[in-house]
Amino acid sequence: DEFLSSPPKKTVRFGGTLTEILLKYEKGETTDFELLKHQLSDPDIKDAQIINWLHEFRAAVVYLTKELEQLVSILLKLPWLRRSREVVEEYLGFLGNLVSAQTVHLRPCLRMIVSQFVPPRITIREDDVDISDSDDDDENLSENFNTCHRALQTVARYVPSTPQFLMPILVENFPFINKSERTLECYVHNLLRVTMYLPALRLQILELIIEKLLKLDVSTPQQDIEDAEEAANSSDRDEKSTEEGLFDMEEDEERKGNKVVSSSSERMAHPLAERLDILMTILFSYIKDVCHVDGKLDINNTKNLYRDLVSVFDKLILPTHASCHVQYFMFYICSFKLGLAEAFLDHLWKKLQDPNNPSVIRQTAGSYIGSFLARAKFIPVVTVKACLDLLVNWMHKYIDNQDTGANAYCDVALHGPFYSTCQAVFYTLIFRHKQLLDGNLRKGLSYLQSLNFERIVMCQLNPLKICIPSVVNLFAAITRKYQLVFCYTIIERNNRQFIPVVRSGTGGDLVQTCTNPLDSFFPFDPYILKRSKKTIDPFYQFWEELSAEDLENLKKPIKRGNSEDEDDDFLKGETPQNDGVVGIAPNSYESNTRSPVSSIGSPPDCYVPYPQ
C-alpha cells in the first residue's frame, strides 16, 4: 500500500549516475553527457528533477573542473529563483559547494547572481522593433532579491576574496541610463544592500553609484528640467480647460478630501530628471538608514559613512563643474550633526587655502563654502562668524602679499581663488546679515565693521569687477544700508571700463570675457527634483521676497545693462518660506540667463558697453 500511494519522483537517468556520466565523458564517451546537458536545458524541467540533479551535482563538484565550464554554465542558467523553497535551498547549497571546491567558477557564479539584481526582461515587439525592458509587475521581486543576497553572502562566506572579484562585475552590469526607472532603481538599491554585508566594498560602490548619478545630473541642466516642467504644466492646463465641467463631482470630492495627490504629480516631466529623482531618493534613504540605529543617530556609523562620502566628493563632485543635485548627499549627511557640517567646512577651507591645489579646485571649494554657509539652516550664526573670520583674514593677508607686487591688478587667471573667496563672503553676508545683526545691533555692526570690507572692495585686485553682478548689487545695497562700505563708485567705474574683464590670453593678447569671468556657480542652489526635495527642504534656507525698504535700496544700484526689463527681472524673487534674509536670490549665472521666476535667478547680464 505504501509503495502504491507514494510513487517515486520523476527522474530520468541516462547511462547511470552523474558521476558515471562525467567519468565516461573524460574517456571521450559524450552521448550521455550531451543528453544530460539537453535535460538540464529543458525549459519545462520540473522542481523535483532540479532538486535531484542538484543533489547529485553537490556530491560530484570535485569533477566540475574548468574543462566542464560549459556544463557549469548550463547549471547557472537553471531557473532556480522563481521555484519552490526546496529548489532555492538546494541551489544555494550547490553554489556553496561549487565555489569552495572549484574557485575557477567564482566569476560566472557572481555574474549569475548580479544579473538577477534587476527585474527580469520581457520581450515586447512593436512593428518588428524589439523594445524589451524590465518586467515591473513581478510580485516576487522583493523575495527574489533577498534570495540573491543570500546567495552572494553564501559565496562570500566560502571564498574570502569574493569582494575583489565582485566589484568589476558590479561595474560592468550597471544598467544604461536609458533603461527603465524600475531597472535602475532595483540595481542601485541592490548595490547599496551589498555594502551592508560586504563593507569593504562600500566606498567603491558609493563611487560607482555617484559617478552614474553625476552623469545623469550633468546631462539634465536645471534649465532643461524647468522647461520640461513648464511644457508639461501648460499641456495639463490645456487639457483641463477642454474638459472643464465634465468632472465637477469628482473635483468636489477632491476638495473635500483636501489632499488628493496623484502619483503623476510627483513625476518629473524630463525623463532623465525622473530617473535622477528616484535614485537620489534611494541614496538619501540609505544615508539615513546607515546613520540611524533604532531611530537614534549612531555616531560611529555616521562618522564612517561621512569619511566615505567626503572621499567620493573629493574624487568626483569637486572636479565636476555645475552639477545641480548630486552634491546634496553631503548637505544631507551634514544636517545630522553640527560637528559634521563644521568638519565639511574645515575640509573645504583646507582645499581653498592650499596653494598646491589646482586653481579651479580652490575656486570650486570657495563656491561650496559660500553656498553651504548661506543655504544650510542647521549652521548656527556662531559657525558662520567663525568661517567669515577665517575667510576674511585670509583675504586681507592675500591683499597684503599682492597689493604692492607686480601682479597687483585685476586678473581672474592670476587671482581666481581670491575672487572666489570674496564671492563666498559676499554671498554669505547677503543671506546671513540679518542673523548676524539680530539681537544686538551695535555688537553686530561692530563685528561687521571689524571685517574691514572697505579695504577688500577698494584694493587693486578689484573683486567687484569679477564677482557675479547680482551678488555685487545685493552686497552693495546691504553694505550701504549699514554704512559698512560704499561700493557704487567702484561699480560705476567698472561699468565705464566695459564690464567684460581683461584676461591675459596666449601671446599676451587681451581677451574680453562675459560677466561671469570666474565661471562660478552656487552648488546649493534650489533643489528641484520633486520626490527627493522633500528630504532636503526642511534643512534648506529659501530666499524671501524683497521688503519695501530693501526694494528701494536695490533700485538704486547702477545698472550694468541698458534695458528696463533686465532691471525688472532682477527684482523678481521667491515667495517667503521662513525667517531668512530679504532680497532677490543670486543664482548660478549659466542657468539663469532665461530662467522663470521659480528659479530665483540673477538677471541676464552679458557684454553691454556702459551708456555714455
Side-chain angles (χ1 to χ4, degrees), residues 98-119:
L98 179 65
V99 294
S100 57
Q102 305 284 355
T103 50
V104 69
H105 300 303
L106 176 63
R107 277 197 186 92
C109 288
L110 294 176
R111 281 198 188 91
M112 180 274 295
I113 297 168
V114 172
S115 71
Q116 304 289 345
F117 277 3
V118 293

Side-chain angles (χ1 to χ4, degrees), residues 151-190:
L152 205 48
Q153 284 170 276
T154 302
V155 172
R157 193 163 57 244
Y158 284 111
V159 187
S161 60
T162 294
Q164 71 191 66
F165 291 97
L166 177 62
M167 197 59 220
I169 293 166
L170 295 178
V171 172
E172 71 190 39
N173 275 272
F174 205 104
F176 294 116
I177 58 172
N178 61 349
K179 289 291 181 187
S180 74
E181 294 101 343
R182 185 69 174 146
T183 298
L184 286 160
E185 178 183 11
C186 290
Y187 194 78
V188 168
H189 187 267
N190 283 317

Side-chain angles (χ1 to χ4, degrees), residues 82 86 169 175 236 277 322 325 334 353 365 451 487 493 541 612:
R82 292 158 190 83
E86 291 77 15
I169 293 166
D236 284 351
D277 193 10
H325 300 100
C334 287
Q353 65 166 345
L451 297 176
C487 300
R493 188 183 69 210
Q541 178 65 60
Q612 298 299 317

Side-chain angles (χ1 to χ4, degrees), residues 40 62 110 131 140 146 196 340 343 348 358 445 489 499 517 528 543:
L40 289 171
V62 67
L110 294 176
I131 54 167
N140 300 317
N146 291 340
M196 307 306 277
L340 296 175
L348 292 167
L445 279 174
T489 312
I499 193 58
I528 60 172
W543 198 256

Side-chain angles (χ1 to χ4, degrees), residues 567-583:
D567 201 37
D568 289 340
D569 279 348
F570 180 67
L571 298 177
K572 289 177 184 172
E574 230 176 18
T575 51
Q577 301 276 345
N578 50 43
D579 53 338
V581 55
V582 290

Side-chain angles (χ1 to χ4, degrees), residues 428-465:
T428 303
L429 185 75
I430 290 165
F431 269 83
R432 296 283 196 159
H433 71 277
K434 292 233 163 164
Q435 293 167 12
L436 289 167
L437 296 167
D438 201 25
N440 188 331
L441 184 63
R442 182 175 293 178
K443 197 173 174 184
L445 279 174
S446 174
Y447 169 73
L448 289 178
Q449 284 162 355
S450 74
L451 297 176
N452 196 358
F453 283 124
E454 187 168 10
R455 180 173 186 246
I456 293 165
V457 165
M458 302 287 184
C459 75
Q460 295 292 311
L461 303 180
N462 194 359
L464 296 187
K465 191 172 187 178

Side-chain angles (χ1 to χ4, degrees), residues 1 9 33 55 100 103 110 126 169 191 215 219 251 285 307 316 318 347 375 377 381 405 538-539 598:
D1 290 348
K9 291 175 182 175
F33 185 77
H55 194 68
S100 57
T103 50
L110 294 176
E126 278 187 14
I169 293 166
L191 284 189
K215 284 179 180 171
S219 303
E251 284 172 14
S285 299
R307 287 190 197 101
L316 298 175
L318 207 52
H347 179 75
R375 294 293 195 174
K377 258 192 199 177
V381 176
F539 311 109
S598 63

